[in-house]
Amino acid sequence: MKNDRWKQYYDLTKNKPPSKLLVKALPYIEKKGKALDLGAGAFVDSKFLLAQGFNVTAVDSSPTSLELSEEIRDPNFSFIPSAYDTFDFELKEYDLITAQWALPFNTQKTFRTMFESLKSSLKPGGIFAGQFFGWNDQWNTGERDMTFHSKEEALHLLSEMKIISFDEEEGNRKTANGEMKHWHVFHIIAQRPLKKRF
Ligand SMILES: C[S@@+](CC[C@H](N)C(=O)[O-])C[C@H]1O[C@@H](n2cnc3c(N)ncnc32)[C@H](O)[C@@H]1O
């Protein structure tokens, strides 16, 4: 697929181990039932979850990701080509929603609505694991149509959730393609409460 900005990233990441945050979240998941992998990329985490026994729905807007999805022939796997903010989040559907290095690429205009829908799509007791980017991130220049949060904003978005871990990372390290970058990231694992709060 030509002209897909993500193709190089997939070539560089397709053989990497599953995301650390996802592995950390696994023991908190009550049932290895339905998982949603948002921004699934080269499907490293989707394949890991299939091997763990989950039924996996993967979502990504990249045409290369769509092409790669056709190579996964597992009855417990489905792929939906969609942007996060136009995805039809069904209510109380998933035991796990993982979005590794993915949600900050959603435009700020729809981030809040999209994230509210994402939370509603967790079953009570279901787990969200993913990252938000902080204001000090090097990509927060106004030139990219991405979303960055202060710590307070990030915590506010999670206010009805039970926070299992919320780790702030700030510092310089390389991107997948080897460029040095200043990262400001909130690594989040949170659970939808069993009792009705939203
Ligand atoms: C940095 S990659 C992360 C991929 C994978 N989760 C991983 O950890 O390797 C971000 C992914 O999000 C997808 N993406 C970016 N913006 C998106 C959007 N608005 N809706 C759906 N997918 C999007 C890209 O196509 C890409 O596959």
Side-chain angles (χ1 to χ4, degrees), residues 6 9-10 16 19 39-41 60-62 82-84 100-101 105:
W6 290 106
Y9 179 85
Y10 300 159
K16 70 169 186 154
S19 302
D60 204 293
S61 57
S62 144
S82 173
Y84 312 126
Q100 301 303 317
W101 306 101
F105 295 97

Side-chain angles (χ1 to χ4, degrees), residues 20-29 96 127-129 164 189:
K20 280 190 207 146
L21 190 72
L22 174 59
V23 174
K24 183 177 168 183
L26 268 197
Y28 298 97
I29 301 162
L96 165 70
I127 296 288
F128 166 74
I164 292 172
I189 301 175

Side-chain angles (χ1 to χ4, degrees), residues 21-22 25 29 34-39 49 54 57 59 84 87 89-100 103 114-123 126-131 161 188-190 192:
L21 190 72
L22 174 59
I29 301 162
K34 286 192 171 183
L36 180 65
D37 185 1
L38 287 175
L49 290 169
F54 285 89
T57 301
V59 172
Y84 312 126
F87 178 66
F89 287 96
E90 282 187 57
L91 292 179
K92 298 185 182 173
E93 183 70 5
Y94 299 104
D95 299 279
L96 165 70
I97 299 182
T98 174
Q100 301 303 317
L103 296 184
M114 178 278 296
F115 196 69
E116 291 304 319
S117 304
L118 181 160
K119 288 188 293 186
S120 308
S121 200
L122 284 168
K123 288 179 184 166
I127 296 288
F128 166 74
Q131 291 83 11
M161 305 275 281
I188 300 156
I189 301 175
R192 181 171 184 169

